[in-house]
Amino acid sequence: MNTQLSSAASSKLEQLIRRLFALTITLASVETFANAFGQFELLTLYGQATVWVLLVTVMVIIASTWSRIGSDRFLYAYGALSFLYMVSWPLAIMDPALLPSEFQPWIWWVIGMGVVAMGVVARPWISLLYLFLTTLIWFFLNTSYYGGGADPIVTLQDSTYIFLFGGTILGLFILVRDSVKKVDLANSAVIQAAVSQASTDATERERQRIDALVHDRVLNTLLLAAKAKSKEDEQSAAKLAREAIASLRQAQKDPDVSATVTQLGLFRALKRVAEQMNPKIEVDTLSGGTEPIPQQVAQALTEATIQAIDNAGRHSKADSIRLSLRSLERNGVRIELSDNGVGFRLDRIPRDRIGVKTSIFARLEAVRGRASVKSAPGEGTTVSLEWTA
């Protein structure tokens, strides 16, 4: 099963997490840079440069997250800068002797968001290691001469706060992501079951075809031979027998039914999975016979259709979604999904939105099919999938 399709819920969760982080860092940065610029006169040129670099990084994170052009590298950068600024803090202070009493380095307001940023993009073990090192370094920094010589007990409380705050956030990320992965696995099972059911339907149709052949040709030949009373009757029975044998041999040479799906079986499977994904969807089936469709083609059509249904459900805000399943000449099929939602401009699909470009167009092209999308703002969307033998 294609991972791009089966990870639909995870992709939506990751996008939501990044947007929540962008919103949080926007609010947190108000306090961060208020303190940073308040300590500006105490900083060396290097220290002042770190403030500006971090400010630009925050602005890029916010812009890239909401424009969906990919913000992960900038989240890594934020986490790396937070860690670097702690380690290099002695280089940022002009004269530790001039630090006021109860001084709190401005990077205190950075390191918590640095832990969260790493939790968003890094693997769990990397995030936990980052949290541990951040907590440890902050304790030694804040109690040092360059950090203002804070009370070790107070600093220990602050370090514990960082550890508990960061650990809670990372734990929530792990739990939520694990739960969503289970949802994706369940969705993948539904999709695979739909294709498997189509194969089962195709096999059943083939069995019925063989049964009909045996009944129509073989049994009729035996009955005619049993009732033969003349030489002409015997010759007719012999001719029918030869034709029946030829038909059975031809049936034996037909392609392995496990590698094909009938149109009717495919349409039934698509109808079933569509109604499972969206109970309000309207499904119209126009014909659908026993013509065979290669298993690879059936799976590509199924996955592309489900991707289109998922896109419509998540993005269109439509009141009505209709799925049309139609047989074409030359053993072809046409699948059309239309909605009356908000629509969009095709030339403005973000680069990280692979749902249309890869999960629909590329799937159909791989099996020599055709896909098209018709949409405009305020005019809904129609996705058409077509394949012919």
Side-chain angles (χ1 to χ4, degrees):
M1 181 57 56
N2 189 284
T3 56
Q4 292 170 347
L5 178 65
S6 62
S7 63
S10 292
S11 298
K12 186 175 181 180
L13 173 66
E14 294 302 325
Q15 183 183 75
L16 177 62
I17 287 175
R18 282 156 178 76
R19 288 186 172 182
L20 288 175
F21 178 81
L23 179 61
T24 303
I25 201 173
T26 301
L27 300 175
S29 293
V30 175
E31 185 176 16
T32 299
F33 291 105
N35 284 278
F37 287 110
Q39 300 175 12
F40 219 61
E41 295 180 352
L42 300 173
L43 303 178
T44 63
L45 289 177
Y46 167 76
Q48 294 175 356
T50 61
V51 176
W52 291 113
V53 170
L54 192 71
L55 178 59
V56 172
T57 303
V58 170
M59 294 174 64
V60 172
I61 288 175
I62 296 170
S64 62
T65 299
W66 289 99
S67 62
R68 295 179 295 187
I69 62 174
S71 60
D72 285 6
R73 67 176 72 97
F74 304 117
L75 293 179
Y76 275 117
Y78 188 95
L81 289 175
S82 173
F83 193 86
L84 174 64
Y85 290 176
M86 282 193 299
V87 174
S88 64
W89 179 253
L91 301 177
I93 291 296
M94 186 178 299
D95 185 358
L98 298 177
L99 297 180
S101 60
E102 299 183 358
F103 175 76
Q104 185 82 305
W106 70 270
I107 58 173
W108 161 254
W109 290 271
V110 178
I111 57 180
M113 295 306 299
V115 170
V116 177
M118 294 300 291
V120 171
V121 294
R123 294 182 179 180
W125 71 269
I126 296 178
S127 302
L128 292 173
L129 178 61
Y130 182 94
L131 172 63
F132 175 77
L133 292 176
T134 295
T135 304
L136 188 64
I137 293 173
W138 172 254
F139 176 81
F140 289 108
L141 168 63
N142 200 210
T143 55
S144 70
Y145 176 60
Y146 291 94
D151 185 342
I153 300 300
V154 175
T155 303
L156 180 62
Q157 293 175 347
D158 291 343
S159 298
T160 303
Y161 167 78
I162 295 174
F163 189 82
L164 293 178
F165 169 77
T168 301
I169 296 297
L170 297 181
L172 287 174
F173 283 164
I174 293 172
L175 289 175
V176 173
R177 283 168 168 160
D178 183 65
S179 298
V180 171
K181 283 182 180 179
K182 292 179 180 179
V183 173
D184 284 331
L185 290 175
N187 289 338
S188 296
V190 171
I191 297 169
Q192 190 60 52
V195 178
S196 298
Q197 183 61 46
S199 298
T200 301
D201 291 343
T203 302
E204 177 62 20
R205 289 285 174 180
E206 183 66 11
R207 186 189 66 79
Q208 292 176 0
R209 185 175 73 86
I210 297 297
D211 289 347
L213 176 62
V214 171
H215 180 274
D216 294 342
R217 291 293 184 87
V218 179
L219 292 183
N220 287 342
T221 300
L222 292 175
L223 289 173
L224 182 59
K227 296 179 180 179
K229 296 181 180 179
S230 64
K231 189 174 183 179
E232 292 180 355
D233 292 341
E234 292 175 354
Q235 290 176 347
S236 297
K239 182 181 178 181
L240 287 175
R242 287 192 295 270
E243 292 176 353
I245 292 172
S247 297
L248 289 173
R249 286 177 177 172
Q250 183 60 41
Q252 187 178 19
K253 294 179 182 180
D254 284 344
D256 182 7
V257 297
S258 65
T260 63
V261 175
T262 64
Q263 288 186 10
L264 182 60
L266 174 63
F267 288 175
R268 286 177 174 174
L270 288 176
K271 184 176 186 296
R272 184 181 303 109
V273 74
E275 291 175 344
Q276 288 176 341
M277 293 182 67
N278 190 337
K280 296 182 180 180
I281 195 169
E282 300 179 33
V283 182
D284 296 329
T285 303
L286 306 177
S287 66
T290 59
E291 293 82 357
I293 299 175
Q295 178 76 21
Q296 184 180 9
V297 174
Q299 182 153 339
L301 289 169
T302 300
E303 293 181 355
T305 301
I306 293 173
Q307 182 66 62
I309 294 172
D310 180 66
N311 287 346
R314 290 194 292 134
H315 304 299
S316 71
K317 300 179 182 179
D319 298 325
S320 174
I321 303 177
R322 180 182 296 273
L323 177 64
S324 175
L325 309 171
R326 177 180 301 177
S327 296
L328 302 176
E329 296 180 358
R330 296 173 53 199
N331 188 26
V333 294
R334 181 179 178 83
I335 300 169
E336 189 172 278
L337 184 78
S338 58
D339 66 65
N340 64 349
V342 296
F344 60 94
R345 290 183 57 178
L346 290 173
D347 58 350
R348 293 190 177 180
I349 298 177
R351 293 181 180 178
D352 64 345
R353 282 280 302 279
I354 61 174
V356 173
K357 296 179 180 178
T358 301
S359 301
I360 295 180
F361 282 94
R363 278 198 179 99
L364 268 294
E365 291 174 0
V367 295
R368 298 183 180 180
R370 294 178 297 279
S372 63
V373 177
K374 180 180 179 182
S375 184
E379 297 182 9
T381 303
T382 299
V383 178
S384 299
L385 312 174
E386 189 171 313
W387 178 86
T388 54

